[in-house]
Each structure stands twice: as C-alpha cells, then as structure tokens.
Amino acid sequence: MAARWLSKAVPPVTAQPAVFCIKFPFKHNALPKLASLLPIQHFRPLALVKGIGIMYLRKTSLRGTSLACTLLVVALAGCGPAKPAPKQAQAPEVSVITVQRTSVPISVELPGRTSAYLVAQVRARVDGVVQKRIYQEGADVKANQPLYQIDPAPYRAMLASAQATQQKAEANLTAMTAQAQRFKVLIGGNAISKQTYDNAVSAQDQGAADVAAAKAAVQTAAINLAYTSVVSPITGRSGISQVTQGAYVQTSAATLMTTIQQIDPIYVDLTQSSVAGLQLRRDVASGQLKLGGSDQTKVTLTLEDGTPYPLAGTLQFSGITVDPTTGSVTVRALFPNPKNILLPGMFVRASIAQGVNDAAILVPVSAVTHNPQGQPTTLVVGPDNKVVLRTLQAQAMSGSNWIVTGGLNPGERVIVSGIQQAQPGTLVHAIETAAPTAAMAAKPGTATAAATPATPAPAPPLAQSTAASTSK
C-alpha cells in the first residue's frame, strides 16, 4: 500500500536535515519488521496510534532520501492484507447402489393378439327373402336361438308335395304287395308262368323303393323348411347383421348373415422368434415349463393401455411352422374372460414364466447406457472412489431393472444418479442408496416404500478433508 505524505516541515536555509512525517496503515506487528528493512539513519518510528504508523525522515542526501522512499513504498505494499488461498475443488456427489446377487423370476414377454375361442359364421342354407331379424346385434345368444326368419311358404308347399308323393308310393306298394302274394299261390299250381310271378315280385320291390324315396323327399323338405328359421349354432356374442329385412339370400352364394363368437374363454396368439421357440421347446422337454396338468405354466397379460389383466392364463402349445417372411412361430395361450374385457383382435403383451435365476444382479435402467456398438454399459465407483466404465451382459429386464449376468461383481457400487458429472477416472463422493430387489422389480410402486434404506456409505477421504478445510 502506497504511503501518503501528510506534512513536511519547512527546511531551514542551512544544511540542517529536513524532517518528513509519513502516516500509513499497517498491522501492529508490521512496524518492527518495517524498521528492520529500512536504514535506521533515514527512518525512525515515532508512534503507533490506532493502527496508524508515524515515522520521520531525516534528509541527509537527496539520493539517500529517494532510495529510502522507494524502500518504504515497497515495504508498505507488502504489509497489506494477504490474499485468501483458492479453495480446493470438491469432488462431485453421485448416488450409488451396492449390487448383490438375488433370485429373480425369469419370464419372456411376447406380443400378440386375442382371438375368439369359437367362431361361427351364420350363412343362409336355403334361398328366400328375409322376413325379419329376431336377435339384437351385439347381444349374447344361446345355441339354437332364432336369429332370422326366411319366408317359409315355398318350403311348406314343398313339404306338402313330398308328403303326397310318399302317400302315393305307399299306396302303390300296397297293391304291388297284394299282387305278388296272389301270384305266389298261383305259381304253386302252375296257373301262371314263372316270368309273370317274377315281374310281380319285382314290382313290389320297386314300390318299396318308391316309398323310401318319398320318405327321404319329405325329410328333405322338412329340413329346408326348418332352415327358414336361422338359429345360432353356438353360444356366444352376436356381431353386426350383414343382411336386413327384405334381403334375398341364396344357398349357392353362401350369403353371410352374421357372426357369432365365443370369447369366454379366449385365445391369445403370441408371436415368438424361431430362436426363442427352440429354447421354449427345450424348456418344455426338460420339464422346466409345463403345458398340462396342475403345474401348467402360467401366463400373465398386459392390455394395450398398459394395465395388467387380473386373471392368469395357461400355455396351450407352440406352433411347429415358422413363418418364412418373419421367422417367427405362434404360441397360443388360453385365458378366462368372464367379464368380456378381452375382445377378439386386441393387441396385448403376454409374459410367460420360465423359472427363477438365483444368481442375478439387478441394475436400474437409469444406470445403464449403450455404447456405439450397442453394448450396455454402466459406471462403477472403485475402492479408490474413482469412476470406472464397465461393459455389461444384460439381455432381459425385470420391471424397471436390467438383469445383469456378466460384467459386475457382488459388492460393487454402481452410479444411479449424477452420471453427467461422473466421467471415467473422475474422483467422486459416493452416497449410498437402496439397491433394487426382486420384490421391487415385481411391484415397483409398493416395494420401494417397503424397502429398508441402506446406511449411507462414509465419505471418501478427499471429500472429508475438503469439507474440514472449508469449515475452518
């Protein structure tokens, strides 16, 4: 700090030394140090009043005075307050979990669509005009419940004609039978020729055949008359009517009138790659998956809006034909559908349980990224609190966690928060959080609240020393 001249005594004409007074601020212990740095013959301390130092200058020579003033300014500049030392950069804080091996149910999730358990297309079986529609569209119908009425008048007439033909044939048969019996008596006395008797017997047989044909015609006419009342072949839910009152339907055109579908239970046809299908068949062959019996493999369903379906289904079979265009096979499951929540054609996702992995490591999705090669990676805090990049082996998920089968060891700390501040090789301050468990993976909403939070890990030595220096 530069000195400031306060006053200067008027020097006499004689060569007596001039006295100069200097006032400057300094700390109380700086005056002896200043006096030791300056020539004692030029400066002498006079007093120290409230942090103000007063010295006098005895001018002996101009050159000496200049040198003394220069030294004084330099010395006073060094007596100023010291600049604070720059603070040491603190290590960034990151949240970590300590991973451990746990038992995780292994399941495969497959996309698919629902299909009706039974489907019946109701078509016209006789020609005619539709007189009325009896059922209500979209309503549940029972088997043999009338749906449409086709004009029955022509078929009633056909039935009456067939019945008349049958009566005629029966009358002819009666006459032929009586004639054959008479000729049988006459042939015994050689009253008629053998040929005449044979003709009578043949005519009797033809009359019996005519009667049988007439009966069949009557039966056919009765069936056609019954077909004019169109009934439901199965119990299920009716669809949209394809014909209206007054429409003409034909047997030759196989006119579609409506569709009845049974949707309780309901099928779910899933699409699976042929490679995964091979593994599925191996699991079935080894007994890990059961396709029948009390221990049949259970299948859970997720609806297209993301909500879980409350009832579990059973695995029925896996297809044996691979689609050449997609390289996939069809896996069919059967689900109960008492409330008709599932409708044919809905897109769903099914999860098929495949067993339990007792040596799995769960890592949250937020802690896993992918490198340019598509491999999953994560950041791990080493024993020296430095960040290390790890490449993982993880191909399946359980809830919101990756199931890691390689690349991590039990007890290692994985960074789950603050990844942006953590770069490989960076020294960090790790804060422990609760690690995911199999229960958390199954029910993320409830298991997190029920989980016991882990005890926070002690701060790294560098972070502790930095905090201590800052508090000071």
Side-chain angles (χ1 to χ4, degrees):
M1 182 180 296
R4 185 159 54 94
W5 295 95
L6 296 180
S7 61
K8 172 176 136 180
V10 179
V13 179
T14 61
Q16 295 180 357
V19 177
F20 298 88
C21 294
I22 305 172
K23 183 176 75 171
F24 54 89
F26 61 92
K27 296 181 179 180
H28 67 281
N29 58 353
L31 187 59
K33 183 183 297 185
L34 178 63
S36 64
L37 294 176
L38 299 178
I40 193 65
Q41 65 272 19
H42 298 292
F43 293 94
R44 294 180 183 271
L46 293 180
L48 175 62
V49 180
K50 294 183 181 180
I52 301 299
I54 302 175
M55 303 185 71
Y56 71 88
L57 171 65
R58 180 169 55 87
K59 184 177 180 182
T60 56
S61 66
L62 182 59
R63 181 176 180 181
T65 303
S66 300
L67 177 59
C69 291
T70 302
L71 293 175
L72 179 62
V73 170
V74 173
L76 293 176
C79 294
K83 294 181 179 180
K87 295 183 179 179
Q88 187 177 4
Q90 295 185 0
E93 292 185 353
V94 295
S95 298
V96 299
I97 60 171
T98 301
V99 296
Q100 301 292 343
R101 297 192 185 279
T102 183
S103 297
V104 179
I106 301 300
S107 61
V108 58
E109 190 175 75
L110 302 176
R113 291 192 179 273
T114 56
S115 60
Y117 185 72
L118 294 177
V119 180
Q121 294 181 339
V122 181
R123 298 181 182 271
R125 305 180 72 176
V126 292
D127 298 344
V129 177
V130 178
Q131 289 185 334
K132 60 180 177 179
R133 173 172 57 84
I134 304 173
Y135 79 101
Q136 183 178 1
E137 293 175 311
D140 292 332
V141 296
K142 302 294 184 179
N144 298 321
Q145 177 180 334
L147 303 177
Y148 298 91
Q149 180 61 55
I150 300 175
D151 185 10
Y155 298 97
R156 288 198 184 108
M158 291 180 183
L159 176 60
S161 176
Q163 290 172 345
T165 303
Q166 178 184 356
Q167 293 175 359
K168 180 180 179 181
E170 290 175 349
N172 291 334
L173 177 60
T174 302
M176 296 298 180
T177 302
Q179 184 179 13
Q181 290 177 353
R182 288 194 299 268
F183 283 177
K184 183 178 181 180
V185 175
L186 295 176
I187 195 63
N190 292 325
I192 60 173
S193 63
K194 180 68 173 175
Q195 181 65 40
T196 302
Y197 175 73
D198 292 340
N199 291 339
V201 173
S202 176
Q204 181 186 6
D205 293 339
Q206 289 180 4
D210 291 341
V211 171
K215 289 182 178 179
V218 172
Q219 187 176 3
T220 301
I223 291 174
N224 289 335
L225 179 61
Y227 283 164
T228 59
S229 177
V230 182
V231 299
S232 172
I234 61 173
T235 299
R237 175 161 295 188
S238 59
I240 299 175
S241 177
Q242 303 297 325
V243 295
T244 61
Q245 182 178 352
Y248 183 75
V249 295
Q250 291 180 303
T251 306
S252 59
T255 306
L256 177 63
M257 305 182 75
T258 189
T259 302
I260 308 298
Q261 301 182 80
Q262 182 178 341
I263 58 177
D264 182 25
I266 192 169
Y267 285 127
V268 176
D269 294 328
L270 309 171
T271 303
Q272 185 182 42
S273 66
S274 58
V275 176
L278 288 174
Q279 184 61 41
L280 178 61
R281 286 189 290 274
R282 291 193 188 101
D283 294 341
V284 172
S286 63
Q288 185 176 357
L289 294 182
K290 303 295 182 181
L291 297 183
S294 59
D295 54 350
Q296 194 171 9
T297 300
K298 300 298 181 181
V299 185
T300 57
L301 205 63
T302 302
L303 303 180
E304 45 192 356
D305 61 351
T307 59
Y309 185 66
L311 302 178
T314 55
L315 188 64
Q316 296 295 299
F317 72 93
S318 177
I320 60 173
T321 303
V322 178
D323 189 341
T325 59
T326 61
S328 60
V329 296
T330 299
V331 179
R332 171 163 283 187
L334 185 65
F335 284 82
N337 191 27
K339 296 183 179 179
N340 296 333
I341 297 176
L342 300 176
L343 301 178
M346 289 179 61
F347 176 79
V348 294
R349 299 191 69 87
S351 179
I352 303 176
Q354 292 185 315
V356 178
N357 187 349
D358 295 328
I361 294 178
L362 296 179
V363 177
V365 174
S366 59
V368 178
T369 58
H370 289 79
N371 57 19
Q373 291 74 30
Q375 298 173 325
T377 60
T378 191
L379 297 177
V380 176
V381 178
D384 55 353
N385 294 320
K386 289 187 177 181
V387 179
V388 180
L389 181 65
R390 292 287 184 84
T391 302
L392 306 178
Q393 296 177 7
Q395 298 179 352
M397 294 187 66
S398 176
S400 60
N401 301 289
W402 282 100
I403 301 176
V404 178
T405 57
L408 285 178
N409 296 318
E412 290 188 315
R413 296 180 294 172
V414 176
I415 299 177
V416 296
S417 178
I419 299 177
Q420 297 81 359
Q421 302 176 356
Q423 299 297 329
T426 305
L427 195 63
V428 295
H429 177 196
I431 300 177
E432 188 77 16
T433 59
T437 62
M440 296 173 64
K443 297 180 179 180
T446 58
T448 302
T452 303
T455 304
L462 176 61
Q464 291 179 347
S465 59
T466 303
S469 62
T470 304
S471 60
K472 290 180 181 180

